[in-house]
Amino acid sequence: MNKLVKYLLSLIILIKILTETSEIIPKSLQNKIFFEALLDRFELVYENKEKFEWNVKIRKINKTRSILGYVIIKTSLGNEIVEEIKSLKKQGGEYRYMAYKINKTPFCKLNGEDLIFYPDFAKSSDFPQDIIEKCPLQPGNYSLRGIQFSLKNLPKVVVPSGDYCAESTFYDGDEKILVYRIYITHNKTNEIFFEAILDRFELIHEDKKSFEWKIKIRKVNKTRMIVGTLNLKVPLGNEIVEEILSLKKQGGEYRYMAYKVKKTPFCKLNGEDKFFYPDFARGSDFPSNLIENCPLQPENYTLHGVNLMLENIPKVVVPSGDYCAESNFYNGTEKILTYRIYATINQI
Ligand SMILES: *[C@@H]1O[C@H](CO)[C@@H](O)[C@H](O)[C@H]1NC(C)=O
Ligand SMILES: *[C@@H]1O[C@H](CO)[C@@H](O)[C@H](O)[C@H]1NC(C)=O
Ligand SMILES: *[C@@H]1O[C@H](CO)[C@@H](O)[C@H](O)[C@H]1NC(C)=O
Ligand SMILES: *[C@@H]1O[C@H](CO)[C@@H](O)[C@H](O)[C@H]1NC(C)=O
Ligand SMILES: *[C@@H]1O[C@H](CO)[C@@H](O)[C@H](O)[C@H]1NC(C)=O
Ligand SMILES: *[C@@H]1O[C@H](CO)[C@@H](O)[C@H](O)[C@H]1NC(C)=O
């Protein structure tokens, strides 16, 4: 079989694997691709030398890793040859087979109907663009001149980062005539897939001996931000523990979700938080280094416009919806503060 075919198959497998292990991206996101497949290496596991000779490598060309080499096909190859593709993912240091596979399919049909990999494959090689019309492939020396995958027609999915492998096996009747593997790495994690639009702030309970909060969410410079004041009357340090619960609107009502931050000393929790506290400090006169400035001294703090940039948020796709974070502060067993921040999450 052609290397081309093999590569294609591998890629297809990878795609399928990815699709299987991924969350399906909603329509609003469908013009974006969330992963890049970095070609890693090509491994020829077995070839029947009466039928072909594969000489293929993955190399960096013009800063991009591409498939290079040639395949000598010694007998004509048509749909009597079937190809099967299995998927593997590296787990605990080892590549393990995953559930996703493509069952044995006639090779011209499989590659001819593939719109994701085969077109790129044929563009930079001697393999025919229309492999269905040109089936069976004739004996010859087919060169691969730096094949890269644009993934233009790839299903729009979010794929967990990791090392993947597609294993392609060709059969002539019951005889295995070729086995190759293509390894790829996927580690694209630098995008934010949602925006949080602040909605409202609700003060449910405060111990007026400790503080007085006057907070609202307002449009400032076209962006909804947290503005207001905190009149802190006593030092606020690590003897106070904070717990954060999450809620999501379901069937018209906010309901608690499993995700929560357990009771944690206040300066530690906020000082180590890389997601929200930095934005909070930037838009207020709270100290940017809360751990060094613990306990927070009694003072009037102003929030002149806290905007959540979410720059360091884990790169996840969050279902659109109405969410709420509920924060509870405890002084010993006494609850001294409960507030909620409501936000709407939209996918970008
Ligand atoms: C096949 O073509 C490649 C160049 O594309 C060449 O290096 C190689 O020697 C050729 N092999 C044969 C057997 O003709
Ligand atoms: C690499 O870049 C050079 C110059 O930009 C170009 O001529 C050449 O075709 C490129 N090679 C491949 C394999 O894309
Ligand atoms: C992703 O892969 C590139 C290229 O191998 C590497 O330089 C980079 O550090 C990787 N990023 C992560 C987050 O693993
Ligand atoms: C916590 O309780 C102690 C003892 O009642 C009190 O002195 C302190 O001000 C309280 N701290 C806060 C932040 O309410
Ligand atoms: C904070 O402001 C209130 C009025 O809003 C005032 O009574 C109080 O003295 C101020 N506290 C400090 C520490 O400046
Ligand atoms: C709003 O925009 C003005 C002018 O660009 C700027 O001076 C001000 O700091 C902005 N306010 C906030 C809270 O970002």
Side-chain angles (χ1 to χ4, degrees):
M1 301 317 294
N2 292 330
K3 276 186 179 179
L4 168 61
V5 173
K6 292 177 178 184
Y7 279 118
L8 285 171
L9 290 172
S10 304
L11 290 171
I12 293 169
I13 291 171
L14 283 172
I15 288 174
K16 309 256 173 159
I17 293 167
L18 291 173
T19 308
E20 180 186 73
T21 57
S22 304
E23 296 175 54
I24 301 301
I25 297 287
K27 280 213 176 71
S28 59
L29 291 179
Q30 283 182 358
N31 293 326
K32 298 193 172 196
I33 288 179
F34 297 126
F35 77 90
E36 54 188 1
L38 299 172
L39 292 168
D40 188 3
R41 73 199 153 88
F42 175 88
E43 182 188 359
L44 183 62
V45 179
Y46 172 76
E47 67 181 347
N48 179 330
K49 293 215 196 296
E50 284 166 18
K51 300 198 192 294
F52 19 53
E53 209 177 289
W54 287 72
N55 194 317
V56 176
K57 283 219 164 70
I58 291 171
R59 279 239 185 82
K60 224 176 207 174
I61 303 183
N62 291 351
K63 293 189 185 154
T64 308
R65 290 177 73 79
S66 318
I67 301 172
L68 279 177
Y70 61 91
V71 188
I72 295 165
I73 298 180
K74 299 176 180 174
T75 59
S76 93
L77 291 181
N79 275 330
E80 74 285 1
I81 304 297
V82 296
E83 184 174 1
E84 165 185 68
I85 303 176
K86 292 182 178 167
S87 62
L88 298 91
K89 187 171 194 249
K90 201 171 187 176
Q91 286 160 320
E94 264 178 43
Y95 283 89
R96 290 168 200 246
Y97 288 98
M98 300 170 74
Y100 184 73
K101 64 175 192 164
I102 296 177
N103 291 327
K104 290 176 181 174
T105 307
F107 126 86
C108 296
K109 177 174 157 62
L110 194 157
N111 291 283
E113 291 176 356
D114 166 32
L115 299 177
I116 296 163
F117 300 110
Y118 192 82
D120 286 332
F121 195 89
K123 201 169 74 188
S124 305
S125 73
D126 293 338
F127 286 88
Q129 281 290 341
D130 191 338
I131 192 171
I132 290 179
E133 266 181 22
K134 299 275 161 59
C135 192
L137 276 185
Q138 295 308 308
N141 185 351
Y142 292 77
S143 80
L144 311 175
R145 295 179 293 268
I147 296 161
Q148 295 171 7
F149 295 101
S150 65
L151 306 180
K152 265 188 284 191
N153 296 316
L154 199 63
K156 303 307 177 287
V157 296
V158 173
V159 174
S161 291
D163 296 318
Y164 293 88
C165 170
E167 180 185 273
S168 189
T169 305
F170 285 59
Y171 294 88
D172 185 354
D174 289 335
E175 191 201 349
K176 229 182 239 191
I177 55 170
L178 177 71
V179 181
Y180 72 85
R181 285 180 166 195
I182 291 178
Y183 293 85
I184 67 167
T185 298
H186 159 63
N187 72 355
K188 190 165 192 173
T189 53
N190 293 327
E191 297 192 30
I192 289 182
F193 302 129
F194 67 90
E195 60 184 0
I197 297 167
L198 292 168
D199 189 3
R200 71 199 153 89
F201 177 89
E202 183 185 3
L203 185 63
I204 294 175
H205 167 74
E206 68 180 349
D207 179 346
K208 290 211 197 298
K209 290 195 299 290
S210 309
F211 27 52
E212 264 176 64
W213 291 77
K214 288 201 170 64
I215 304 280
K216 282 217 165 68
I217 291 172
R218 278 233 189 86
K219 226 174 203 174
V220 181
N221 292 352
K222 294 192 184 153
T223 306
R224 292 178 72 81
M225 295 184 183
I226 303 172
V227 296
T229 57
L230 163 62
N231 174 9
L232 181 61
K233 300 172 182 176
V234 293
L236 186 57
N238 275 330
E239 75 286 359
I240 302 300
V241 296
E242 182 178 357
E243 136 194 278
I244 303 175
L245 307 174
S246 63
L247 298 91
K248 184 170 195 252
K249 201 171 186 175
Q250 286 160 320
E253 263 178 46
Y254 282 90
R255 290 167 202 245
Y256 288 99
M257 301 170 72
Y259 181 76
K260 63 177 192 166
V261 179
K262 279 186 287 196
K263 288 178 181 174
T264 307
F266 160 79
C267 295
K268 178 174 159 61
L269 192 158
N270 291 285
E272 290 177 357
D273 165 34
K274 303 260 173 301
F275 305 136
F276 300 109
Y277 191 82
D279 288 331
F280 193 84
R282 204 179 299 141
S284 71
D285 45 30
F286 283 89
S288 60
N289 189 334
L290 186 56
I291 290 183
E292 272 180 16
N293 292 286
C294 190
L296 212 52
Q297 292 308 309
E299 210 177 296
N300 283 325
Y301 293 91
T302 302
L303 291 78
H304 36 84
V306 175
N307 184 10
L308 300 181
M309 308 299 293
L310 306 179
E311 268 157 19
N312 296 314
I313 202 119
K315 301 310 176 286
V316 293
V317 172
V318 175
S320 293
D322 295 319
Y323 291 87
C324 168
E326 179 183 289
S327 187
N328 293 303
F329 284 52
Y330 295 87
N331 190 356
T333 54
E334 194 196 351
K335 204 185 260 192
I336 57 169
L337 176 70
T338 300
Y339 69 82
R340 286 180 168 192
I341 292 177
Y342 294 84
T344 301
I345 290 192
N346 286 327
Q347 277 154 356
I348 301 168

